[in-house]
Amino acid sequence: ALTDLAVIKVEANALPAVPLGDSQALHVGDIVLAIGNPFGVFGNTVTMGIVSALGRTQIAEGNPFESFIQTDAAINQGNSGGALVNVQGELVGINSAIFTRTGDFSGIGFAIPTAIAQPIMEQLIAHGEVKRGYIGANLGPVTPEIAARLALKQTGGAFVAAVLDGAPASRAGLRVNDVIVEVDGRATQEPADAINTIAMSAPEQTIPLKVLRGGETVDLKITLGRRPQPRR
């Protein structure tokens, strides 16, 4: 529910399937095709555009795990859940939302990348639920004010604004005012990078963190908990 994805089981054999592509190989300017049924009345429709941006966040309300593909391929109501494919016909995203002031397509559409959708699909098929890693810390952007206060030379990373007592982050030694710059070997440019990497890691797994603290780089190891299910 947190990523607005579901798996539907179809009782049939020999169905054609779209090949999965690597959304992490996309670049701004790449041509993409959006497939769907706009407004539920036109039937299958294909529109063409380009990748306008990558890693878009703060798009879907209540979704903490965001890294949307932005495209100008026309997406309208009824396209949600449709395929976003590259020029090789490989699935690179699932159409999810649009930005509009009128309710109609305004040239800004968003798709969930396969890098997020595929592991969720695999967990749903294997376990019937998604088990997300959890550290119990509130992460935010490194604003210019925070960078100046902490004497940082850059504003990248994930600022640790709070750590819950007894949570995995606390047990691992993560502190308020730390700046996470790497999670499990992956660079953290913004909070969403850390949040998504942690969420896609299995609970009980131990992963390394690299943080900036007092002008020094500190290496930590954190054993993840399981993210609590949201209240309905």
Side-chain angles (χ1 to χ4, degrees):
L2 289 173
T3 44
D4 196 27
L5 290 169
V7 172
I8 299 174
K9 183 178 180 180
V10 178
E11 298 290 350
N13 296 316
L15 292 175
V18 61
L20 285 174
D22 182 8
S23 62
Q24 294 180 317
L26 286 174
H27 296 87
V28 173
D30 285 352
I31 295 173
V32 287
L33 306 175
I35 301 171
N37 183 10
F39 304 106
V41 297
F42 294 106
N44 291 337
T45 300
V46 178
T47 55
M48 185 178 74
I50 64 168
V51 174
S52 305
L54 295 165
R56 288 299 198 204
T57 60
Q58 300 180 338
I59 304 300
E61 184 177 355
N63 180 358
F65 312 117
E66 295 181 322
S67 185
F68 286 103
I69 301 165
Q70 181 182 325
T71 178
D72 65 354
I75 295 174
N76 287 289
Q77 297 177 35
N79 282 85
S80 294
L84 186 77
V85 301
N86 59 21
V87 292
Q88 285 78 39
E90 299 168 329
L91 181 73
V92 292
I94 299 175
N95 304 328
S96 179
I98 61 173
F99 176 83
T100 177
R101 299 187 187 279
T102 64
D104 296 325
F105 177 67
S106 301
I108 303 176
F110 301 98
I112 302 167
T114 52
I116 290 179
Q118 184 173 356
I120 289 175
M121 175 194 71
E122 292 170 349
Q123 285 203 52
L124 287 174
I125 292 173
H127 309 293
E129 61 179 340
V130 180
K131 299 177 182 179
R132 295 183 171 91
Y134 171 76
I135 65 171
N138 185 3
L139 306 182
V142 180
T143 65
E145 292 77 14
I146 290 174
R149 176 166 61 84
L150 299 179
L152 300 175
K153 297 180 180 180
Q154 58 189 31
T155 56
F159 174 70
V160 180
V163 177
L164 297 179
D165 289 339
S170 177
R171 295 195 297 270
L174 194 67
R175 302 176 186 174
V176 172
N177 288 330
D178 283 348
V179 174
I180 300 174
V181 293
E182 190 175 291
V183 179
D184 199 17
R186 299 181 182 180
T188 296
Q189 301 296 332
E190 55 184 346
D193 296 331
I195 292 169
N196 285 326
T197 300
I198 292 165
M200 292 300 172
S201 301
E204 306 304 327
Q205 180 180 352
T206 299
I207 62 174
L209 297 181
K210 192 180 294 291
V211 304
L212 298 179
R213 178 186 296 167
E216 298 182 353
T217 301
V218 178
D219 292 312
L220 302 174
K221 288 187 178 297
I222 183 167
T223 300
L224 303 177
R226 181 174 177 180
R227 185 178 179 86
Q229 294 295 320
R231 293 182 179 179
R232 296 187 181 276

